[in-house]
């Protein structure tokens, strides 16, 4: 051990009382900092890992229809799930998150609720199952009742919701809601369990088996709602996973290949949808300037090439039908269109194509997803270099990856400008879906850090005063050491080391204190039902989540503050002339 | 051969608005291996002279050469280095480092030098402690030792680097006559054995017999040799 270090450490013990008091102040400051950081981290942990991940997963794939985020539906579910499994590595689970706003009629009382589907069969991981059950501390009934076949649409609801509906176990309630097709529906549900919510966000939902909910809401066998993907270590993997998925979700061109039929005549044809936003319509018209000089392309147009129209005897105003094989297999399905205009022969607009406006196109397309057309069979599939390509409909619209909730909301607001009936697919992670939670955590941390820095500044004034006192008392020692041949910088470093070690030991004690404090505080039961503070609690207890990284960063920060404040008195000590220091009687 | 050569040395101190002329033109040469006593009443400039020779204080004018090296023009870092390697100090109030044991106090200058192995440093410190008769107190802290014992540790500390010169400022002033005599005897023995030049100041005429050369100072001037 170096002589400077030895002298510094022993001097710390020499002035026990003074250093103990100062150390206690630093330790308390550190403890407050660690506890405050753990508390704010705990809040985001509650929001992210105990609430949000059950609402949107670590990564979610959303399917917004007509700009309405509450209307989540994708008609090619198996394909989407397969794509996710191929793209995102190490998936823990992929679940559907379906929530439907409803009005619940209880015993002489009604209330609003969100019907939330739960996939009971998918939860096989004992830890996740335990986590789930922690969120459902059942007062009556059982979590497993949701799977009972003898009850009509069994549901779990919070004790508060049960109270507001004046309902009890096994009571039958009626619910009114709008299904995915926009039709009003009513259904009967049975109270199969009443739970005490782990947090305020668990008050509103009424939970039922997702299979039952999908059936009630009009989902087809291959239809899916929003998907949420659970992955291990989401902090590290969620954003890269979402980015990879976003690349894989680039939508292909949407088309249907079959037979266009009119008055007993038939010809092979490819149906392509064209975008109807004003920029796309203008772009399409520029591709056939001669024709579109006299005719303005409209958002409800269905256009047929002249050769195809002639072969079928089709004219504007005629109603024809396209018979095509659906992706799900089985017999061909038929889509009918009213032709609004026959296009002249053109290299830009090939002859065996029926050009269908966005709304009409997606109506038949999503109702019966066509089997992918093959160009070898004669289907016209323009590649990305084609001048037509930018104006044609894709299988879906891929939303940009957004980094914050604000960006995501802004992009959603821009969706109607596309005037498209395509499903908008988004791939947000929970960190972007609720970036305000991260911002809240940052803000809390900043406020805490600011407050603690002020506290440390006050403490460091104490350090400076103590050090000055120490130096005054040890002036003759400084003189002796300088006379012996100790260089100025060694004298300075000796005092800096003392401050450093005092702060370091105090920080360690502070961390221990913080952990003891957090353990004690988290043992206190807080009754805050109906109070919004409830969201900060887990089962009525304060939730602390200490961050190793945060704590590890505070240490050098506080040590740096100590070093900076100790620097000036230490330097003064080092610059004392030896003769003056030796002659000092302190 | 002269180890110390001083010419025209003056030292003035500002004391409020007045200037104190502590040394007023000292010319002095000291031969290597000599045992010199600087004698004079309190306030005559003995400590100032030793401080300037030891590089602890600077001269106002004049020249101070230690082993041929001019001290007055050296920067602080080099003067400090010279003190570490060529000079040893013994103080009236012992000035041991209270948080270090007897052995560690003796080892201290060698540890600052960073030129020797740990075992070598420990061996030299223990040998010197044995020579000053304090082997059994090697683990004691200064607060656990008597004045005489502390001063003997200070002597060991001053000698541990094998310096050319040991400067002792009234080394017996805080000791009783018997202990003081034993301290001077140790210095005398070391001087004879190692040929280390010793300069000690005193105002006690009874200790003159230990010196080979006596320099009398009065009012900042040499009054006779």
């Amino acid at each position: 051990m170096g002589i400077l270090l030895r002298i510094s450490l022993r001097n710390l013990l020499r002035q026990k009382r003074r250093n103990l008091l100062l150390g206690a102040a630093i330790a308390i400051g550190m403890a407050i900092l660690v506890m405050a950081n753990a508390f704010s981290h705990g809040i985001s942990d509650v929001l992210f890992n105990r609430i949000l991940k059950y609402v949107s997963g670590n990564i979610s794939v959303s399917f917004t229809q007509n700009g309405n985020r509450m209307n989540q539906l994708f008609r090619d579910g198996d394909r989407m799930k397969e794509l996710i499994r191929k793209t995102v590595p190490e998936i823990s689970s992929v679940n559907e998150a379906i929530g439907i706003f409803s009005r619940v009629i209880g015993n002489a009382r009604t209330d609003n609720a969100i019907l939330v589907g739960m996939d009971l069969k998918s939860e096989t991981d004992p830890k996740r199952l335990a986590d789930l059950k922690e969120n459902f501390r059942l007062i009556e009934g059982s979590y497993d009742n949701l799977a009972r076949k003898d009850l009509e649409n069994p549901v779990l609801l919070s004790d508060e919701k049960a109270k507001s509906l004046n309902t009890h176990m096994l009571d039958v309630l009626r619910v009114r809601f709008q299904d995915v097709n926009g039709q009003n529906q009513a259904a009967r549900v049975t109270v199969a369990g009443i739970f005490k919510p782990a947090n305020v966000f668990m008050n509103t939902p009424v939970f039922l088996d997702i299979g039952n909910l999908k059936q009630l809401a009009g989902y087809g066998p291959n239809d899916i709602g929003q998907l949420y993907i659970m992955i291990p270590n989401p902090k590290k993997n969620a954003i890269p996973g979402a980015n990879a998925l976003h690349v894989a979700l680039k939508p292909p061109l949407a088309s249907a290949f079959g037979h266009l039929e009119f008055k007993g005549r038939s010809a092979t044809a490819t149906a392509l949808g064209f975008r109807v936003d004003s920029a796309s319509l203008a772009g399409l018209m520029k591709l056939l300037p001669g024709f579109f000089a006299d005719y303005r392309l409209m958002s409800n147009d269905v256009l047929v090439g002249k050769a195809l129209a002639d072969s079928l005897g089709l004219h504007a105003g005629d109603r024809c039908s396209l018979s095509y094989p659906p992706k799900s297999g089985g017999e061909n399905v038929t889509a009918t269109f009213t032709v609004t205009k026959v296009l002249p022969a053109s290299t830009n607009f090939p002859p065996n194509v029926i050009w269908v406006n966005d709304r009409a196109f997606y109506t038949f397309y999503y109702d019966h997803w066509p089997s992918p057309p093959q160009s070898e069979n004669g289907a016209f599939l323009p590649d990305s270099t084609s001048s037509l390509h930018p104006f044609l409909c894709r299988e879906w619209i891929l939303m940009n990856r957004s980094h914050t909730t604000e960006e995501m909301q802004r992009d959603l607001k821009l969706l109607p400008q596309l005037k498209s009936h395509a499903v908008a697919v988004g791939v947000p992670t929970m960190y972007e879906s609720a970036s305000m939670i991260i911002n809240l955590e940052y803000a809390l941390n900043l406020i805490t850090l600011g407050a603690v820095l002020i506290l440390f500044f006050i403490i460091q004034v104490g350090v400076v005063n103590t050090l000055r006192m120490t130096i005054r008392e040890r002036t003759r020692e400084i003189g002796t050491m300088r006379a012996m041949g100790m260089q100025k910088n060694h004298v300075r470093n000796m005092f800096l080391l003392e401050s450093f070690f005092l702060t370091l030991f105090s920080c360690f004690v502070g961390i221990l204190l913080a952990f003891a404090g957090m353990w004690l505080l988290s043992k206190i039961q807080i009754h805050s039902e109906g109070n919004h503070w409830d969201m900060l609690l887990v089962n009525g207890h304060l939730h602390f989540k200490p961050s190793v990284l945060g704590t590890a960063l505070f240490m050098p920060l506080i040590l740096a503050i100590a070093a900076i404040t100790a620097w000036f008195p230490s330097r003064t000590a080092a610059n004392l002339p030896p003769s003056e220091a030796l002659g000092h009687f302190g | 051969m002269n180890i110390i050569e001083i010419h025209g040395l003056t030292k003035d101190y500002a004391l409020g608005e007045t200037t104190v002329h502590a040394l007023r033109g000292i010319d002095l040469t000291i031969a290597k291996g000599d045992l010199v006593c600087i004698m004079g009443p309190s306030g005559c400039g003995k400590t100032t002279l030793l401080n300037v020779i030891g590089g602890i204080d600077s001269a106002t004018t004049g020249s101070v050469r230690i082993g041929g090296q001019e001290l007055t023009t050296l920067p602080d870092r080099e003067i400090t280095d010279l003190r570490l390697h060529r000079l040893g100090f013994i103080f009236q109030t012992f000035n041991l480092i209270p948080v270090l044991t007897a052995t560690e106090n003796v080892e201290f200058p060698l540890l600052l030098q960073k030129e020797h192995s740990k075992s070598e440093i420990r061996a030299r410190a223990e040998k010197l402690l044995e020579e000053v008769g304090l082997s059994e107190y090697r683990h004691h802290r200064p607060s656990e030792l008597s004045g005489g014992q502390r001063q003997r540790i200070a002597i060991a500390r001053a000698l541990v680097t094998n310096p050319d010169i040991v400067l002792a400022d009234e080394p017996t002033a805080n000791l009783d006559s018997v202990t003081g005599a034993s301290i001077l005897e140790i210095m005398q023995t070391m001087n004879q054995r190692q040929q280390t030049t010793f300069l000690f100041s005193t105002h006690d005429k009874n200790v003159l017999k230990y010196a080979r050369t006596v320099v009398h100072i009065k009012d900042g001037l040499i009054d006779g040799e």
Side-chain angles (χ1 to χ4, degrees):
Chain A
M1 188 163 50
I3 188 69
L4 292 187
L5 191 61
R6 205 183 308 172
I7 293 173
S8 300
L9 290 175
R10 288 188 192 168
N11 273 323
L12 278 181
L13 295 171
R14 185 174 161 196
Q15 287 145 340
K16 281 192 198 82
R17 188 183 295 177
R18 187 189 297 164
N19 286 330
L20 261 177
L21 285 171
L22 196 56
I26 297 171
I28 289 167
M30 183 67 183
I32 294 170
L33 191 56
V34 172
M35 284 174 73
N37 179 254
F39 185 64
S40 62
H41 210 54
I43 291 172
S44 60
D45 179 56
V46 168
L47 296 174
F48 274 121
N49 296 326
R50 289 166 193 270
I51 296 166
L52 205 64
K53 81 173 183 185
Y54 294 112
V55 177
S56 65
N58 302 136
I59 303 172
S60 70
V61 184
S62 64
F63 309 107
T64 307
Q65 295 210 103
N66 304 323
N68 180 2
R69 279 198 82 192
M70 288 312 294
N71 196 356
Q72 293 279 328
L73 173 66
F74 191 74
R75 301 249 187 220
D76 199 1
D78 289 345
R79 175 179 167 202
M80 185 56 68
K81 284 181 183 172
E82 179 65 20
L83 199 143
I84 290 167
R85 288 198 187 282
K86 273 187 184 166
T87 313
V88 184
E90 292 184 74
I91 290 175
S92 303
S93 66
V94 179
N95 291 317
E96 280 181 68
I98 297 180
I100 297 173
F101 276 117
S102 65
R103 187 79 182 160
V104 185
I105 300 123
N107 293 322
R109 288 189 196 167
T110 63
D111 197 357
N112 292 328
I114 302 171
L115 297 176
V116 173
M118 290 186 66
D119 193 351
L120 304 174
K121 291 165 216 136
S122 72
E123 293 304 344
T124 48
D125 176 12
K127 192 185 170 295
R128 278 178 48 79
L129 201 60
D131 270 3
L132 247 181
K133 286 187 176 176
E134 191 191 61
N135 269 342
F136 293 97
R137 286 174 299 150
L138 282 147
I139 303 165
E140 287 182 79
S142 143
Y143 179 79
D144 301 321
N145 278 354
L146 283 183
R148 275 174 66 174
K149 298 285 176 207
D150 59 322
L151 301 176
E152 191 178 7
N153 298 321
V155 294
L156 301 181
L157 68 167
S158 69
D159 55 350
E160 280 202 26
K161 186 62 70 185
K163 201 171 152 190
S164 78
L165 292 167
N166 190 27
T167 189
H168 304 95
M169 267 297 286
L170 301 178
D171 281 357
V172 174
L173 312 173
R174 285 171 196 283
V175 287
R176 286 203 314 261
F177 54 90
Q178 213 171 47
D179 70 10
V180 286
N181 301 310
Q183 291 173 341
N184 289 327
Q185 299 287 354
R188 285 151 53 99
V189 295
T190 312
V191 180
I194 298 172
F195 62 86
K196 197 155 192 61
N199 51 60
V200 74
F201 298 99
M202 295 288 282
N203 281 339
T204 316
V206 169
F207 295 92
L208 68 162
D209 177 64
I210 195 152
N212 289 346
L213 181 63
K214 283 180 81 172
Q215 206 172 10
L216 292 175
Y219 281 82
N222 199 27
D223 295 351
I224 54 170
Q226 183 173 9
L227 293 176
Y228 61 82
I229 305 164
M230 306 299 283
I231 48 172
N233 195 1
K235 238 181 181 171
K236 185 180 159 216
N237 297 328
I239 290 175
N243 289 341
L245 191 54
H246 188 260
V247 172
L249 278 171
K250 192 177 173 195
L253 195 72
S255 63
F257 181 67
H259 288 88
L260 193 64
E261 293 161 359
F262 180 66
K263 288 186 177 171
R265 293 191 208 172
S266 166
T268 55
T270 308
L272 292 172
F274 63 87
R275 297 169 57 177
V276 296
D277 56 287
S278 44
S280 296
L281 290 176
L284 274 170
M285 287 195 287
K286 277 184 191 161
L287 294 177
L288 206 55
F291 174 74
F292 286 113
D294 302 326
Y295 182 75
R296 187 176 172 76
L297 186 62
M298 305 295 282
S299 62
N300 59 352
D301 271 342
V302 176
L303 312 168
V304 182
K306 184 161 175 34
L308 183 62
D310 288 350
S311 69
L312 297 175
L314 263 174
H315 297 93
D318 289 340
R319 197 165 171 78
C320 60
S321 60
L322 179 75
S323 166
Y324 65 90
K327 194 180 177 189
S328 55
E331 290 183 5
N332 277 6
V333 291
T334 304
T336 54
F337 314 101
T338 303
V339 176
T340 53
K341 199 77 182 170
V342 175
L343 286 168
S346 152
T347 49
N348 283 335
F349 291 84
N352 63 336
V353 176
I354 175 162
W355 309 91
V356 185
N357 67 71
D358 178 283
R359 176 195 273 271
F361 182 81
Y362 284 116
T363 304
F364 84 83
Y365 196 89
Y366 286 153
D367 274 353
H368 298 286
W369 206 293
S371 181
Q374 305 295 328
S375 50
E376 304 90 71
N377 299 337
F380 173 67
L381 301 170
D383 60 22
S384 58
T385 57
S386 163
S387 54
L388 279 166
H389 201 266
F391 312 116
L392 299 180
C393 294
R394 313 297 160 87
E395 289 197 290
W396 57 81
I397 293 168
L398 183 62
M399 306 274 293
N400 289 331
R401 285 272 297 122
S402 46
H403 300 100
T404 60
T405 314
E406 290 77 22
E407 262 183 53
M408 200 164 74
Q409 285 169 341
R410 189 197 58 207
D411 287 351
L412 277 169
K413 275 185 189 163
L414 291 174
L415 260 185
Q417 290 181 11
L418 295 177
K419 296 180 182 169
S420 177
H421 290 76
V423 171
V425 178
V427 199
T429 68
M430 65 178 176
Y431 302 107
E432 297 133 23
S433 306
S435 62
M436 65 281 214
I437 296 173
I438 297 174
N439 293 342
L440 174 74
E441 189 186 347
Y442 284 157
L444 279 173
N445 282 341
L446 269 180
I447 292 166
T448 311
L449 192 65
V452 174
L453 283 181
I454 293 167
L455 179 71
F456 267 96
F457 178 74
I458 296 164
I459 292 170
Q460 292 307 329
V461 170
V463 171
V464 172
N465 274 333
T466 306
L467 205 57
R468 284 169 70 95
M469 215 184 298
T470 304
I471 288 164
R472 193 177 165 76
E473 283 170 6
R474 284 169 29 202
T475 303
R476 279 170 68 83
E477 260 177 71
I478 295 166
T480 305
M481 290 180 194
R482 293 278 290 127
M484 296 282 106
M486 186 185 257
Q487 294 289 358
K488 282 179 177 180
N489 59 333
H490 289 154
V491 175
R492 184 197 64 211
N493 292 349
M494 188 173 69
F495 286 103
L496 283 177
L497 274 173
E498 273 186 53
S499 299
F500 175 84
F501 281 108
L502 176 65
T503 311
L504 185 72
F505 295 143
S506 306
C507 281
F508 280 123
V509 172
I511 291 168
L512 292 177
L513 271 178
F515 276 86
M518 287 188 283
W519 181 79
L520 271 175
L521 286 171
S522 63
K523 289 283 158 204
I524 301 168
Q525 175 80 43
I526 299 168
H527 300 282
S528 62
E529 282 85 355
N531 185 326
H532 289 292
W533 287 107
D534 195 35
M535 81 173 186
L536 307 180
L537 308 176
V538 172
N539 296 333
H541 297 277
L542 286 172
H543 178 62
F544 294 94
K545 192 162 168 63
S547 149
V548 177
L549 183 70
T551 310
L553 286 175
F554 292 144
M555 291 268 283
L557 176 73
I558 291 163
L559 287 170
I561 294 172
I564 291 165
T565 43
W567 175 271
F568 298 100
S570 302
R571 195 182 58 172
T572 308
N575 287 336
L576 276 171
S579 56
E580 195 181 304
L582 280 166
H584 178 85
F585 289 92
Chain B
M1 183 192 165
N2 292 330
I3 188 83
I4 301 170
E5 291 172 298
I6 299 167
H7 297 291
L9 176 65
T10 67
K11 176 68 187 174
D12 299 337
Y13 290 111
L15 195 69
E17 285 181 7
T18 59
T19 302
V20 177
H21 305 287
L23 300 175
R24 297 196 289 174
I26 301 272
D27 292 302
L28 179 67
T29 53
I30 292 168
K32 184 172 169 51
D34 203 352
L35 200 164
V36 181
C37 172
I38 296 169
M39 179 79 191
S42 285
C44 70
K46 301 187 295 292
T47 300
T48 306
L49 178 59
L50 286 179
N51 281 351
V52 174
I53 294 171
I56 287 171
D57 212 346
S58 58
T60 305
T61 58
S63 153
V64 179
R65 284 178 172 270
I66 304 289
Q69 190 168 19
E70 180 59 51
L71 210 64
T72 51
T73 54
L74 284 179
D76 181 79
R77 176 164 275 278
E78 286 179 38
I79 293 176
T80 307
D81 204 46
L82 183 130
R83 284 200 299 267
L84 180 61
H85 288 91
R86 302 188 68 177
L87 300 175
F89 290 88
I90 299 167
F91 301 98
Q92 184 180 334
T93 48
F94 327 126
N95 290 21
L96 297 177
I97 297 164
V99 292
L100 300 180
T101 63
T103 312
E104 288 168 339
N105 262 292
V106 178
E107 288 175 343
F108 183 73
L110 288 178
L111 290 166
L112 290 180
Q113 283 185 349
K114 295 179 184 169
E115 289 164 4
H116 310 278
S117 69
K118 272 185 184 174
S119 55
E120 196 183 340
I121 291 170
R122 181 53 52 97
R124 278 172 76 168
E126 288 188 347
K127 184 170 175 282
L128 274 163
L129 278 174
E130 199 181 321
E131 283 181 27
V132 296
L134 284 174
S135 281
E136 59 189 294
Y137 295 98
R138 62 182 183 273
H139 297 307
H140 288 233
R141 295 252 175 118
S143 58
E144 297 159 350
L145 300 169
S146 70
Q149 288 169 328
R150 288 184 209 182
Q151 199 59 304
R152 279 190 275 164
I153 290 168
I155 293 171
R157 180 177 67 180
L159 289 167
V160 76
T161 55
N162 292 327
D164 297 332
I165 306 159
V166 171
L167 302 165
D169 185 15
E170 304 221 27
T172 58
N174 277 355
L175 303 172
D176 61 76
S177 55
V178 178
T179 313
S182 73
I183 292 296
L184 289 167
E185 276 164 17
I186 291 169
M187 286 166 57
Q188 204 174 37
T189 310
M190 296 295 183
N191 169 253
Q192 284 163 5
R193 194 185 296 167
Q194 296 178 4
Q195 286 300 298
T196 306
T197 309
F198 272 81
L199 254 87
F200 69 94
S201 64
T202 187
H203 59 270
D204 183 359
K205 285 182 180 156
N206 296 323
V207 302
L208 292 181
K209 59 185 175 191
Y210 295 98
R212 216 173 294 142
T213 308
V214 178
V215 178
H216 290 274
I217 293 190
K218 192 178 175 186
D219 298 330
L221 285 165
I222 292 180
D223 201 24
E225 272 190 62

